[in-house]
């Protein structure tokens, strides 16, 4: 987390380097092993910060605006529900014992 945020911070400032990333980590009061600094700085230097931490894709966050969208949408045709069939189970076996005698339970 610290390496990713430091990469974002230093990459946003322009000229990215491992030394600047390490300085940002130290200035934030954190400690990061030099191997992580090397891995992250190499990745950002090769790919660029735009590809290293891409912008969000747009999933989620769609809370508001529902009323406006609903009023702009054309009126939908009323869909009629199909009538459900009723099935007569009176001739079948009553698995809960029913009201008949028998007294097995």
């Amino acid at each position: 987390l610290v390496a990713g945020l430091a990469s974002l911070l230093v990459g946003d400032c322009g000229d990215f380097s491992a030394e600047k990333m390490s300085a940002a980590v130290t200035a934030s009061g954190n400690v990061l092993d030099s191997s992580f600094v090397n891995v992250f700085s190499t990745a950002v230097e090769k790919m660029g910060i735009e590809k290293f931490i891409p912008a969000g894709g747009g999933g989620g966050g769609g809370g508001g605006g529902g009323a406006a969208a609903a009023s702009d949408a054309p009126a939908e045709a009323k869909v009629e529900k199909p009538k459900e069939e009723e099935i007569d189970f009176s001739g079948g076996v009553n698995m809960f014992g029913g009201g008949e005698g028998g007294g097995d339970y």
Side-chain angles (χ1 to χ4, degrees):
L1 181 65
V2 172
L5 292 175
S7 300
L8 220 169
L9 177 70
V10 175
D12 192 40
C13 293
D15 188 32
F16 191 92
S17 70
E19 293 80 25
K20 288 182 181 181
M21 184 177 162
S22 184
V25 169
T26 305
S28 69
N30 290 292
V31 177
L32 191 62
D33 189 54
S34 62
S35 63
F36 286 111
V37 173
N38 291 333
V39 168
F40 276 75
S41 64
T42 302
V44 172
E45 288 170 356
K46 285 185 179 181
M47 296 187 310
I49 195 70
E50 293 82 21
K51 288 186 180 179
F52 180 71
I53 304 176
S71 65
D72 294 341
E76 293 182 22
K78 194 172 191 179
V79 178
E80 193 173 312
K81 284 182 161 180
K83 187 175 179 179
E84 293 183 18
E85 259 182 64
E86 290 189 25
I87 300 173
D88 183 20
F89 290 109
S90 62
V93 176
N94 189 344
M95 62 189 270
F96 298 109
E100 295 96 34
D104 291 349
Y105 301 101

